[in-house]
Amino acid sequence: MDGVGVNIAFWVLAVVTIGAALGVMAARNLLHAVLFLILTFIGVAGFFLLLSAEFLAMAQIIIYVGAIAVLVLFAVMLTPHAGQSNSETKMALPAGLLALCLAAIFVFVLTDTDWSSVGSAPSVGVTGLGDALLSTWVLPFEMASVLLTAALVGAIMLTRNPEDETPEADA
Amino acid sequence: MSGWDTVGPQLAVLVAAGLVLLVDAMLPRQRQALPYIALAGLAASAAWTASWVGRDDFHTAFGGTLSLDQYAVFFYFVFAGITAAVVLASIDWVNRAGRSQGEYYALVLVACSGLMFLSAARDLITIFLALELSSIPQYILAGWGKDQKSSEAGLKYLLLGSIASALLLYGMALLYGLTGTTILPDIAQVIQQGGDTNRGLLVVAMVLLIAGFGFKMAIVPFQMWVPDVYQGAPTPVTAFLSVGSKAAGFAVIMRIFFEALGASFLSDDWFKIFAVLAAVSMTLGNVMAIVQSDIKRMLGYSSIAQAGNFLVGVAAIAVPGHEFTLGASAVLLFVAAYAFTNLGAFIAIIAISQKIGSDEIKDYRGMWRRSPFLALALAFCLVSLTGIPPTVGFWAKMYIFNAAIRADLAWLVILGVLNAAISAYYYLGVVRQMFLSEPEDEEPIRTTPPIGISIAVATAGIFVFGVIPMPLITAAKDAVQIFAH
Amino acid sequence: MGADQAWILVALPAAAFVVLALCGRWLPRQGDVLAVLAIGASLVLYFFVLHDFLHQRDGLVNSHEYWSIAMHHTWSNVGNFNLNFGTYVDPLSAVMVGVVTIAGTLITIFSIGYMKGEVRYWWFFAVLMGFIAAKLMLVLSDNLLLLYFAWEGVGVCSFLLIGFYWEKRSAAEAAKKAFITTRIGDVGLLIGIILLWKATGTFNIQDILTAATTGQIGHVYLFVSLMFIFLGAMGKSALFPFHVWLPDAMEGPTPVSALIHAATMVVAGVYLIARLLPAFEVVPASLLVVTIVGLVTAILTGFMALATTDIKKVLAYSTIGQLGFMYIALGCSHPDAAIMHLMTHAFFKSLLFLAAGSVIIGTHHNQDMKQLGGLWRKMPITAVTFLIGSLALAAVPPFSGFWSKDEIFHGTTAWNGGWVTFLLGFAAVLTALYTTRLFVRTFLGKPQDQAVYDNAHETGPVMVLPLIILALITCVAGFTVFNGVGRAMGFPGGFTEFVFLHEPERFVMNWSWAAASAVIAFGGVFLAGWIYWGNRITISTRLADWQPGVYNMLVNKFYFDDLYQAGIDRGLLGFSYVVSWFDRYVVNDTGVDGVADTTRYSGSILKYVQTGKVPAYALGIALGAVGLAIAGLVVRG
């Protein structure tokens, strides 16, 4: 994949993604922040497309934009007064400076390094991904499922109202 | 699919977790059996691990993402033991709280399996997932208490832990970007071929890894969550955090150093960073611990200082051109010693605070009169934390400092000895309160059998290995042999 | 039972300690019999060990060769790091074991009478056994690490003994003070041991000495390590400027614990330096430091003893002063004189402490000179034995103190210029002065408090008998310097021919030295007699009128305690308060504070994020990562 169009697409996506990420930080209204977050996710999906990882791009959109962002939106909208009282913190200035330092370090390191680039994109389709997940990477895959189960159990446990549950009631 | 037998200990623990959940849901009247199901699972796990002791046909499995070796076996034992002690110590606590008992034990067990995976993983993705597998249950457990402080602790731990995970992921991404692989020995190979040219990136990646794991290890400057979370979380969970995740952090950072990033030109950077972090962690942790009035907060700061002691050993490993097994085995010895000691201390605190309903050090006055057993056990654990013989804590410090001296880090050792003297001030301060002050309340404190047994085992371990340290030292020595090649 | 099984001597009291500590409360008579049996058996076995030890010497061709019996077991090892556990018997440790077992047995028997009816009777005997076991291990150990364990063990047991009456606030405070003060020295000792081990790769004392004397360790390095080790000895021996803890340590059960501290524990430092003396001799500067510290201590505590009226504290100061004498002898490379004085001092100081205890019991717990006086008639046996002890302390011939102090005087000629001899003479005069003052004001003159005098009585036989035995020993112990006496007892010769490190020294009576030191002693005694007996006590009040500053300085022990307290309060604690303030107000509470207090859980979780704490912590984490990364990159650059 080479050419002017790809380059232009890259820079447009970069500006959109980083701009949206800054928007998440800067927005005082939580709802706006979530919307910016969705834009960031879409930008990342765009990068996946540029890298010929169509499946990942789709997964990114379905999972992050479709599920996670919507979940966050629900949570924000169900929370009373979520849109208010998000005043400025004293952290803004030091945090900004720190972020700049971090960015400077990364820019320096990224330009300084001799990256080993691959000539052409590996053609890994859905089949290849599935094979990999259930052969070489079966252990992390299964660990992830255990992790999700544990998180689910924990989430239910934390949100359950203590008053609902008495030892006698469910006996 | 072959290779599942290599994760037997983890599977045993996870099966027990599933059983606990099922029994809790299906047979609510049998709830008092839950901790014992958990203990049975841990025992099965330890038995499975024991079948590997002394064998030398160790190998990798699952496409090289997991390594079954002496090192992992050592940590399997440590984590099974830690978790068993935590389960025993939780029984009264959970019974009193009365809610979500099955979930509690299940999450403890899942976290334990995560810790075990972490000590055996030799691939960045597996390491990350194992870390999360151990962390997320711990976030939830920290917020498990009903009070405000516990919720606050859980949330703080979750948010800050996520930031640490993000840093860790960033570091891993840089490594993968450079080398195109996530398997640790392969990374080492690519780095060796590349030579010194990409050192800047490697140093930054290394720092990000240290930041991510440093959060778990509670070393300065990634330690700020420690006092708040330790104080707020339910005490058994605090015990688990202070021992389990710290040990796992050191286990994995040492494996990464030896198998992936230990290239000769990098070890210089490692040892400088670790030596500085060790010095800062020890000093800051100890100085802050002096002025604490809450015993859990004090132990929180002291655990930061102890992490500094661990780091002395890690720094000694990394010093170029020195024999590393000494330092590596010293760190492992310290892990085991610290597990015994800190668990003993925390369980004694659990027993005491259940009765007196306070964690203030001043409320420990005259504990000797109220419960000689608990007072003696706690005093013994604190003596071991200080590093005074005849306790296992002494040997741990001794070997750590020995390794540092052999690595020409004498300044660090002298700083460590001075810090040990400072730590004696606040550790023995508690002992003084317990033994030399008059109790305000004469009512005796009774211990329940589970707590009594776990404290007795911990203190017996401290003493027995304090007098006969060789078995533990040999085990630690064998465990690091895998890095000898 | 040979000298290579000397570890049994340690094992017996250690076993008694374990048994008594665990179940002493429930044993018949609370286990005091067990304690006496254990230490008694150690004492008996000691004579077997000594006999075997002396016997092995007979096999040597050269009868003046240094000989020793060592044995060890491997304790633990990792890679090239080996730890051995072993015993080392040579004349030095043989004498020390003798002093400890004999004194220990007497103390244990005496305690049965003295501690009768006390609370925690069993606990006292348990700690006493622990103390003796640790002390024996200290003198028998063949390596510095084991010695350090024993050193700490002695410290912990003494902490427990001083704080025995922990209900009493002053006792708890004194225990803390002793522990902290000696701990400072202990850290120094540990650093010194680590430094020596770093240089030689071994903890074994003889190997280290060999390395030091053959020049394998650089002189500056050796000097620094030895100074750290000397720091440990200073702390344990309560030398200047660590002398503050010993007088307060007299809070322990009188006089048993006082005796332990004065006669037994504090000489651990003397033993340590004597043991390592060959290394000290490699660097003469270190010997000079030892000498000077000894001199300063001896003179300073002499003045303090003159301004104190509590009889036990006077004895405590005199103990420190006598320890100063021993260190002077060590500084002059005369371990034989130091150990000789150690031995004689152990006996006459035990005598004095027990006699003081007898006074305290006999007068119903009065130990202030201002309220005593004229007790001669009421307590004749105590008075006579006390007098013998005092004369020995004042170094009046022919009591034991005279012979050993004479040896020290003789040794000071090692330093050119005679200034050491002169200052030592001054310290000896001070000793004679305060000793006589103590005796005169307690036993002679007019009773200061009629009620106390009327109720005073002689104490019972359990207490008097040890006094008489010790008085007899005090009278004759000094004669062991003579070759004939030593040989008659089965030793190769006199004391100085038995305890030596290089060349045995045959005792030669030097009449001019003896005469000079006798004059000094008598002079001091007569001066004090003139001042205090001749009812010129007002001289101290006159000093108070004339130079209140000087007098207050003496009474307040040169203000050392206040200085240290201020140092701890303002220094260490101040620093940690500053750091904790920073933590609390700058790091924690930037933004809105009081998370748990102000918010309710039912509301938004997000509020927790808004409190400022979490962002501050997150910032800290990021700052740490960035700082490390920059540092890493810069260092690499």
Side-chain angles (χ1 to χ4, degrees):
Chain A
M1 275 227 175
D2 214 0
V4 185
V6 175
N7 264 328
I8 291 174
F10 174 83
W11 288 109
V12 169
L13 278 174
V15 169
V16 167
T17 312
I18 293 176
L22 285 176
V24 176
M25 293 294 114
R28 286 294 115 212
N29 188 318
L30 267 187
L31 213 57
H32 295 170
V34 177
L35 294 176
F36 274 123
L37 189 65
I38 293 175
L39 197 55
T40 317
F41 289 154
I42 292 175
V44 174
F47 280 121
F48 282 137
L49 266 184
L50 271 187
L51 294 167
S52 315
E54 296 88 358
F55 178 74
L56 278 186
M58 208 157 71
Q60 169 83 10
I61 291 201
I62 291 176
I63 295 171
Y64 281 86
V65 182
I68 295 179
V70 170
L71 201 66
V72 174
L73 265 184
F74 268 136
V76 170
M77 285 157 102
L78 287 177
T79 310
H81 316 300
Q84 296 147 25
S85 72
N86 298 312
S87 55
E88 289 282 341
T89 64
K90 294 176 186 173
M91 293 290 131
L93 185 66
L97 285 176
L98 203 61
L100 273 181
C101 284
L102 204 59
I105 290 173
F106 280 126
V107 168
F108 169 71
V109 162
L110 295 182
T111 50
D112 186 48
T113 305
D114 173 26
W115 294 98
S116 61
S117 50
V118 194
S120 60
S123 59
V124 180
V126 185
T127 329
L129 206 61
D131 276 343
L133 276 183
L134 286 178
S135 58
T136 317
W137 305 105
V138 65
L139 187 69
F141 181 73
E142 292 299 335
M143 280 164 68
S145 53
V146 174
L147 174 63
L148 290 177
T149 315
L152 205 64
V153 168
I156 293 169
M157 185 181 98
L158 282 183
T159 47
R160 190 161 49 180
N161 194 341
E163 278 82 50
D164 294 349
E165 185 197 18
T166 50
E168 286 76 26
D170 52 2
Chain B
M1 191 83 231
S2 67
W4 286 105
D5 58 316
T6 55
V7 290
Q10 288 94 325
L11 286 183
V13 172
L14 286 175
V15 166
L19 268 181
V20 165
L21 279 178
L22 279 179
V23 169
D24 185 39
M26 304 291 173
L27 306 164
R29 286 178 194 284
Q30 308 299 321
R31 274 200 183 142
Q32 63 277 19
L34 296 179
Y36 301 103
I37 297 174
L39 286 177
L42 289 166
S45 170
W48 198 312
T49 314
S51 73
W52 289 322
V53 170
R55 275 171 50 178
D56 48 6
D57 55 337
F58 293 115
H59 52 89
T60 60
F62 299 108
T65 54
L66 194 90
S67 167
L68 176 64
D69 47 35
Q70 289 280 18
Y71 188 75
V73 164
F74 182 87
F75 278 101
Y76 285 178
F77 275 125
V78 169
F79 292 134
I82 289 171
T83 315
V86 170
V87 167
L88 273 176
S90 307
I91 293 177
D92 290 336
W93 214 92
V94 173
N95 272 344
R96 274 200 325 166
R99 69 195 180 102
S100 309
Q101 303 189 2
E103 287 89 336
Y104 179 90
Y105 293 117
L107 288 174
V108 169
L109 291 174
V110 170
C112 171
S113 78
L115 296 175
M116 286 175 165
F117 276 122
L118 204 47
S119 64
R122 65 194 279 278
D123 154 70
L124 292 180
I125 296 176
T126 316
I127 288 175
F128 181 73
L129 277 165
L131 185 74
E132 291 301 304
L133 190 59
S134 66
S135 300
I136 288 185
Q138 287 176 348
Y139 301 149
I140 300 166
L141 289 170
W144 189 78
K146 274 183 290 192
D147 57 339
Q148 200 84 94
K149 277 193 167 175
S150 175
S151 309
E152 185 193 329
L155 197 69
K156 267 186 187 160
Y157 194 28
L158 168 69
L159 288 169
L160 296 170
S162 311
I163 290 170
S165 292
L167 291 175
L168 181 66
L169 268 185
Y170 216 138
M172 288 179 171
L174 288 180
L175 274 185
Y176 178 68
L178 183 69
T179 60
T181 175
T182 56
I183 308 274
L184 298 182
D186 298 351
I187 292 177
Q189 234 171 7
V190 178
I191 290 177
Q192 291 285 17
Q193 285 161 8
D196 211 3
T197 48
N198 297 321
R199 196 163 160 193
L201 180 111
L202 287 170
V203 167
V204 171
M206 195 173 86
V207 165
L208 290 173
L209 292 182
I210 292 175
F213 293 119
F215 178 82
K216 289 281 155 198
M217 298 186 276
I219 56 179
V220 176
F222 313 109
Q223 90 299 357
M224 283 148 173
W225 58 278
V226 169
D228 290 7
V229 173
Y230 277 26
Q231 190 184 11
T235 316
V237 177
T238 307
F240 196 37
L241 296 186
S242 78
V243 182
S245 30
K246 188 172 297 222
F250 281 100
V252 71
I253 201 91
M254 273 170 44
R255 194 184 278 274
I256 288 181
F257 170 76
F258 276 121
E259 298 210 331
L261 292 177
S264 53
F265 57 94
L266 274 183
S267 81
D268 197 39
D269 298 299
W270 281 98
F271 113 76
K272 276 176 193 149
I273 290 179
F274 277 131
V276 169
L277 290 183
V280 178
S281 294
M282 280 193 293
T283 312
L284 212 67
N286 273 326
V287 169
M288 299 284 292
I290 289 183
V291 287
Q292 300 304 322
S293 60
D294 181 298
I295 195 162
K296 278 164 78 182
R297 237 180 137 76
M298 185 202 91
L299 281 178
Y301 280 114
S302 105
S303 88
I304 295 170
Q306 298 286 357
N309 283 324
F310 279 98
L311 280 182
V312 172
V314 183
I317 300 169
V319 173
H322 278 276
E323 195 202 4
F324 64 86
T325 44
L326 208 56
S329 59
V331 173
L332 260 59
L333 180 68
F334 208 107
V335 165
Y338 181 75
F340 275 117
T341 311
N342 231 31
L343 277 176
F346 267 111
I347 297 171
I349 287 168
I350 291 169
I352 293 171
S353 74
Q354 268 175 2
K355 184 70 189 176
I356 66 175
S358 157
D359 288 327
E360 292 288 308
I361 294 175
K362 65 173 162 39
D363 292 329
Y364 280 62
R365 297 164 63 88
M367 198 48 69
W368 165 243
R369 298 276 187 80
R370 304 180 65 182
S371 171
F373 171 67
L374 285 177
L376 267 179
L378 182 54
F380 201 56
C381 292
L382 292 174
V383 163
S384 178
L385 281 176
T386 319
I388 297 173
T391 57
V392 71
F394 164 77
W395 291 106
K397 250 181 208 173
M398 171 95 214
Y399 275 97
I400 285 270
F401 289 162
N402 164 46
I405 285 220
R406 293 284 154 133
D408 286 322
L409 288 172
W411 64 274
L412 204 52
V413 172
I414 289 175
L415 195 67
V417 171
L418 289 176
N419 264 304
I422 296 179
S423 72
Y425 181 84
Y426 60 84
Y427 285 134
L428 300 179
V430 178
V431 176
R432 199 192 70 210
Q433 286 282 1
M434 293 195 298
F435 284 87
L436 296 183
S437 309
E438 284 300 309
E440 279 160 7
D441 183 359
E442 289 279 354
E443 195 191 345
I445 295 172
R446 303 242 168 273
T447 41
T448 54
I451 288 206
I453 290 169
S454 48
I455 294 179
V457 169
T459 41
I462 295 170
F463 182 72
V464 169
F465 289 125
V467 177
I468 317 163
M470 257 340 258
L472 211 55
I473 293 172
T474 315
K477 218 161 62 168
D478 291 346
V480 298
Q481 285 310 317
I482 55 151
F483 301 129
H485 52 264
Chain C
M1 180 75 198
D4 49 353
Q5 275 120 34
W7 60 272
I8 296 177
L9 298 183
V10 185
L12 285 171
F17 162 70
V18 172
V19 171
L20 284 173
L22 289 181
C23 48
R25 200 191 307 218
W26 299 283
L27 289 176
R29 290 183 54 89
Q30 300 201 3
D32 57 357
V33 182
L34 183 69
V36 173
L37 279 179
I39 181 66
S42 271
L43 177 61
V44 172
L45 290 177
Y46 163 66
F47 287 109
F48 282 96
V49 170
L50 186 66
H51 178 262
D52 181 61
F53 179 62
L54 290 171
H55 180 72
Q56 298 218 4
R57 179 190 156 275
D58 295 342
L60 297 175
V61 185
N62 178 0
S63 68
H64 280 171
E65 197 179 318
Y66 181 83
W67 85 108
S68 63
I69 296 160
M71 60 106 45
H72 64 264
H73 315 276
T74 300
W75 194 2
S76 75
N77 72 81
V78 165
N80 50 4
F81 179 56
N82 287 302
L83 278 188
N84 292 322
F85 168 92
T87 57
Y88 185 80
V89 182
D90 72 343
L92 184 59
S93 51
V95 171
M96 291 299 294
V97 173
V99 170
V100 175
T101 46
I102 293 172
T105 309
L106 286 176
I107 294 166
T108 315
I109 295 172
F110 187 81
S111 311
I112 293 177
Y114 193 84
M115 299 299 292
K116 198 179 219 99
E118 292 281 352
V119 283
R120 300 185 293 271
Y121 183 74
W122 57 278
W123 178 240
F124 179 83
F125 282 97
V127 178
L128 189 58
M129 286 300 112
F131 178 87
I132 290 171
K135 182 76 212 227
L136 286 173
M137 187 157 110
L138 198 159
V139 295
L140 280 173
S141 159
D142 73 336
N143 69 72
L144 286 176
L145 193 69
L146 193 62
L147 184 144
Y148 180 74
F149 288 178
W151 187 273
E152 291 283 5
V154 168
V156 169
C157 289
S158 93
F159 170 74
L160 293 173
L161 282 173
I162 299 171
F164 186 75
Y165 299 118
W166 66 63
E167 298 86 350
K168 234 168 79 183
R169 189 171 163 72
S170 59
E173 287 295 315
K176 201 174 72 184
K177 193 176 187 178
F179 191 69
I180 291 175
T181 313
T182 50
R183 211 139 171 117
I184 295 171
D186 293 352
V187 172
L189 175 61
L190 188 58
I191 293 176
I193 291 175
I194 291 173
L195 287 176
L196 281 182
W197 170 66
K198 169 105 177 92
T200 59
T202 175
F203 284 115
N204 188 291
I205 295 172
Q206 299 310 317
D207 296 349
I208 289 175
L209 290 182
T210 314
T213 45
T214 52
Q216 289 171 36
I217 312 175
H219 277 204
V220 177
Y221 187 95
L222 185 63
F223 177 72
V224 171
S225 354
L226 289 176
M227 282 305 102
F228 273 115
I229 286 186
F230 185 49
L231 204 62
M234 284 162 74
K236 197 63 98 192
S237 293
L239 291 190
F240 171 84
F242 293 103
H243 59 269
V244 290
W245 69 265
L246 192 58
D248 286 15
M250 298 299 131
E251 288 289 346
T254 339
V256 179
S257 135
L259 178 63
I260 288 167
H261 294 111
T264 323
M265 172 175 150
V266 286
V267 297
V270 179
Y271 168 77
L272 177 66
I273 305 301
R275 176 54 82 215
L276 295 176
L277 202 61
F280 277 80
E281 284 167 351
V282 176
V283 200
S286 61
L287 287 178
L288 185 64
V289 172
V290 174
T291 312
I292 289 173
V293 170
L295 277 173
V296 170
T297 309
I299 293 172
L300 213 57
T301 52
F303 280 119
M304 291 183 200
L306 271 175
T308 311
T309 55
D310 182 314
I311 55 177
K312 266 168 68 193
K313 289 202 173 166
V314 172
L315 290 179
Y317 281 124
S318 91
T319 304
I320 306 175
Q322 299 303 305
L323 286 165
F325 282 64
M326 293 174 211
Y327 280 95
I328 296 168
L330 290 174
C332 304
S333 286
H334 271 273
D336 49 344
I339 299 300
M340 168 94 187
H341 195 57
L342 187 156
M343 185 197 71
T344 57
H345 172 256
F347 290 118
F348 68 69
K349 192 50 65 71
S350 305
L351 172 64
L352 284 172
F353 267 114
L354 295 190
S358 175
V359 168
I360 291 165
I361 293 275
T363 60
H364 306 282
H365 293 275
N366 245 303
Q367 54 193 70
D368 196 332
M369 276 186 232
K370 286 184 198 148
Q371 291 168 356
L372 300 172
L375 289 176
W376 178 268
R377 275 160 300 237
K378 288 279 189 173
M379 314 177 74
I381 305 177
T382 306
V384 170
T385 49
F386 200 101
L387 178 63
I388 294 173
S390 301
L391 291 175
L393 176 57
V396 171
F399 298 100
S400 57
F402 168 76
W403 303 103
S404 52
K405 212 172 274 183
D406 191 50
E407 281 295 296
I408 297 177
F409 267 111
H410 198 71
T412 52
T413 47
W415 294 104
N416 286 331
W419 56 277
V420 177
T421 317
F422 175 76
L423 290 173
L424 181 68
F426 182 61
V429 171
L430 283 177
T431 312
L433 263 178
Y434 67 69
T435 313
T436 317
R437 166 179 178 263
L438 176 63
F439 182 76
V440 169
R441 290 192 64 178
T442 309
F443 291 100
L444 305 179
K446 278 209 201 81
Q448 303 291 313
D449 187 326
Q450 199 59 40
V452 171
Y453 178 76
D454 289 342
N455 289 323
H457 59 84
E458 188 60 87
T459 45
V462 182
M463 304 196 56
V464 168
L465 195 65
L467 286 183
I468 296 173
I469 295 173
L470 281 170
L472 290 176
I473 297 178
T474 303
C475 289
V476 299
F479 299 117
T480 50
V481 284
F482 292 105
N483 295 316
V485 177
R487 216 170 274 137
M489 288 163 73
F491 289 91
F495 197 92
T496 49
E497 255 182 278
F498 180 55
V499 180
F500 60 90
L501 292 170
H502 311 294
E503 288 274 305
E505 197 176 331
R506 177 168 284 267
F507 177 73
V508 183
M509 191 71 192
N510 187 323
W511 289 107
S512 51
W513 280 108
S517 80
V519 165
I520 286 174
F522 278 118
V525 169
F526 285 127
L527 182 63
W530 176 70
I531 294 173
Y532 295 103
W533 203 1
N535 235 349
R536 290 178 188 83
I537 291 174
T538 46
I539 199 160
S540 65
T541 22
R542 249 184 265 154
L543 175 68
D545 291 339
W546 175 53
Q547 277 293 345
V550 174
Y551 184 74
N552 280 334
M553 199 164 80
L554 291 178
V555 171
N556 286 313
K557 306 165 234 168
F558 294 92
Y559 296 103
F560 274 108
D561 294 84
D562 306 88
L563 193 70
Y564 292 162
Q565 199 60 44
I568 291 175
D569 287 351
R570 311 238 164 87
L572 185 61
L573 290 182
F575 178 57
S576 45
Y577 275 113
V578 167
V579 178
S580 95
W581 179 86
F582 181 80
D583 180 60
R584 200 165 298 148
Y585 295 103
V586 181
V587 181
N588 271 8
D589 296 344
T590 9
V592 187
D593 59 348
V595 192
D597 314 328
T598 53
T599 48
R600 285 165 296 121
Y601 187 60
S602 59
S604 155
I605 284 177
L606 294 170
K607 277 195 174 160
Y608 290 113
V609 192
Q610 286 290 313
T611 55
K613 271 192 176 183
V614 172
Y617 289 0
L619 199 66
I621 292 174
L623 194 64
V626 169
L628 278 182
I630 291 175
L633 290 175
V634 168
V635 168
R636 176 202 72 121

